Amino acid sequence: YLSSIKNIFKVLLTSVDTKPQQKSLTSGKANFCLDTDEEHVNFAKSDELNRVHSENREEPDGPLKFELDICHQDPEYKSPAPLPHAQVKLITSWEAGWNVTNAIQGIFVLGLPYALLHSGYSGLLLIVLAAALCCYTGKILIACLYEENEDGQLIRVRDTYEDIANACCKKLPHNLGGIVVNVIQVVELIMTCILYLVVSGNLLSHSFPYVPVTEKTWSVIAFVALLPCIFIRTLKIVSKLSQLCSLVHFVIIFVVITYCLTQMHQWSWTKFRLSLEFEDFLVSVGVIIFSYTSQIFLPTLEGNMNNPREFRCMLNWTHFFACILKTTFALTAFLTWGEKTKEVITDNLPSFLETLVNLCLLTKALLSYPLPFFAATEIVYSCISKDNHSNYRSPLLALTVRSSFLLLTLLMTMFTPHFALLMGLSGSVTGAAMTFLLPSLFHLKLKWKKMSFIEKCADISVFILGFLCSLAGIVCSIKGLLKIFGGV
């Protein structure tokens, strides 16, 4: 009897000694406890929209397995059964920054000198203002993911754009707000993927004009190069591709700016217009503002960072450097060619440089494709499998959804007439909504009682600006479609 009592005490003492170590392991290595005001989440959970933590995490020294509980959960946050043995692969602040850079340093950059041609000195101000506004809306969007607990600590109670929409639209039946946001996200992401395929076909056609192949056939060839995308399963891989994409982008900018500097003797500030045409100015505003859009990716990126406290700093630096780079690029290119500046600045380059830059742009377009493609497929097949969690990570389901999406982008590239105008029309609605309208509206709804008067005025101003940009884009796109189809 005494021996049994002694053994029981040994077990109790052993359990008491190991609990602090387990707690330290969980809080120190995994950083999932929210004592530091953050809650790490993986990409699969974020886009699956089921608010679940996983049980595995890969560490540099080897795989580390442990069981996690959802901590500091919103009382109204209904979480389904957790997915067993899901794999967490968190990303660093640098990797998150490369993804943001990939989003805000896109193909639109090549149109900035042409936008400067039609906007004059105001275009330079718009480049700076757009960077500040898009950085601001990114921050308030992430702020909507957090609430204060009784101790005044910020707790991450939402994971995705859909969660924010559902929190703001609780009176709507069947989570209608989240469904609408998901539809907007998927449309925006699909149109972006199609754009990259169209651009790839166009660049191949211009790079090899002597090859008797149509532009759509070149798009099919580019599509073949994108087939490995169906095997991308983690955000970490996408981050590496975004890093390569950003490096290629810097090479393009370096080549163009270097050539412009060799033509410095032709520069003249008198090339800037003082009188502007209103419709051309609106187009310039759209090109400048929407070259900074990345909000659609931010909740997932922030939730997957090793240290979410660095998110705001990362967002500041990426937008700051993007602003500097875009201003320098647009200004030097416009000062070099002036009134002869073409819609895509590479068309102004000498033939030998144009081919080189076009091939770099092709590489950039292909490397840019995986980010929106992966985000869109994650949203879709998470919604499909929402009621059947055991199949969420089914390889067959994942492969089917990704293959279907990849094929869909090709079919729309091949058979969608006047894609540029349709892209402008959809982008004016979805792009403005995701970048300006919804972040400011949701922030006002969720944080109204805690916001200062200046913050309220700022959000209302951003909403009005986003609405005007969206309206102007819709009018210009419809006008262009009427010219083609209606002879107006």
Side-chain angles (χ1 to χ4, degrees), residues 256-275:
V256 175
I257 291 180
T258 300
Y259 176 79
C260 291
L261 291 176
T262 63
Q263 307 297 315
M264 192 183 297
H265 59 278
Q266 299 179 5
W267 290 8
S268 174
W269 290 96
T270 58
K271 295 178 180 179
F272 277 94
R273 291 184 179 182
L274 296 177
S275 59

Side-chain angles (χ1 to χ4, degrees), residues 196-197 200 221-230 365-367 369-370 406:
Y196 289 135
L197 263 182
S200 297
I221 296 174
F223 168 81
V224 174
L226 293 170
L227 286 177
C229 289
I230 63 176
L366 295 177
L367 290 173
Y369 186 94
L406 198 63

Side-chain angles (χ1 to χ4, degrees), residues 29-333:
K29 279 195 173 183
N31 289 324
F32 275 89
C33 187
L34 296 182
D35 293 337
T36 55
D37 302 341
E38 287 92 19
E39 176 182 1
H40 291 309
V41 287
N42 62 357
F43 186 85
K45 176 203 43 108
S46 293
D47 279 339
E48 184 215 1
L49 309 176
N50 64 1
R51 305 102 176 168
V52 176
H53 280 293
S54 61
E55 299 175 354
N56 254 0
R57 177 176 174 183
E58 287 190 357
E59 291 290 337
D61 296 330
L64 181 65
K65 296 183 179 180
F66 47 86
E67 190 174 29
L68 296 173
D69 296 323
I70 298 177
C71 50
H72 298 292
Q73 192 71 284
D74 187 351
E76 299 181 5
Y77 212 38
K78 296 180 181 179
S79 178
L83 300 175
H85 305 295
Q87 196 174 41
V88 181
K89 291 188 177 181
L90 301 180
I91 59 176
T92 65
S93 300
W94 278 97
E95 289 171 329
W98 287 122
N99 281 304
V100 173
T101 301
N102 183 14
I104 65 178
Q105 298 275 24
I107 303 296
F108 273 113
V109 174
L110 299 176
L112 289 179
Y114 185 76
L116 211 59
L117 171 65
H118 292 289
S119 58
Y121 289 102
S122 59
L124 296 174
L125 178 62
L126 280 172
I127 293 175
V128 178
L129 181 62
L133 286 176
C134 291
C135 185
Y136 174 75
T137 56
K139 291 176 182 178
I140 63 175
L141 177 64
I142 297 303
C144 292
L145 299 173
Y146 290 84
E147 296 290 347
E148 287 186 1
N149 63 5
E150 296 177 354
D151 299 327
Q153 294 178 322
L154 287 176
I155 307 301
R156 199 177 203 266
V157 296
R158 305 177 188 98
D159 296 326
T160 64
Y161 225 135
E162 185 205 23
D163 294 339
I164 299 173
N166 286 331
C168 294
C169 307
K170 292 181 180 179
K171 295 182 179 180
L172 296 179
H174 308 296
N175 293 329
L176 184 60
I179 294 174
V180 171
V181 166
N182 274 344
V183 170
I184 294 175
Q185 287 187 95
V186 172
V187 169
E188 175 78 1
L189 292 168
I190 287 178
M191 295 300 284
T192 303
C193 290
I194 298 170
L195 174 64
Y196 289 135
L197 263 182
V198 171
V199 168
S200 297
N202 182 270
L203 289 169
L204 282 169
S205 178
H206 282 78
S207 299
F208 306 102
Y210 302 108
V211 179
V213 174
T214 63
E215 187 171 315
K216 290 187 177 180
T217 305
W218 282 120
S219 295
V220 175
I221 296 174
F223 168 81
V224 174
L226 293 170
L227 286 177
C229 289
I230 63 176
F231 301 109
I232 298 176
R233 300 182 59 186
T234 64
L235 182 60
K236 205 166 188 68
I237 297 176
V238 177
S239 300
K240 298 299 183 184
L241 295 175
S242 293
Q243 181 178 0
L244 292 175
C245 178
S246 299
L247 294 175
V248 172
H249 176 81
F250 295 147
V251 170
I252 296 170
I253 298 298
F254 175 77
V255 170
V256 175
I257 291 180
T258 300
Y259 176 79
C260 291
L261 291 176
T262 63
Q263 307 297 315
M264 192 183 297
H265 59 278
Q266 299 179 5
W267 290 8
S268 174
W269 290 96
T270 58
K271 295 178 180 179
F272 277 94
R273 291 184 179 182
L274 296 177
S275 59
L276 304 173
E277 295 183 9
F278 183 69
E279 187 172 333
D280 291 337
F281 177 74
L282 289 179
V283 174
S284 300
V285 172
V287 171
I288 292 172
I289 288 180
F290 293 112
S291 67
Y292 283 103
T293 56
S294 64
Q295 281 73 5
I296 199 169
F297 308 108
L298 297 184
T300 295
L301 292 176
E302 192 265 354
N304 279 270
M305 290 176 62
N306 286 323
N307 187 1
R309 288 177 296 179
E310 297 177 353
F311 175 82
R312 293 175 68 90
C313 181
M314 179 274 295
L315 206 63
N316 287 336
W317 281 109
T318 51
H319 282 73
F320 173 76
F321 282 119
C323 177
I324 297 297
L325 200 61
K326 289 180 180 183
T327 303
T328 305
F329 174 76
L331 185 59
T332 55

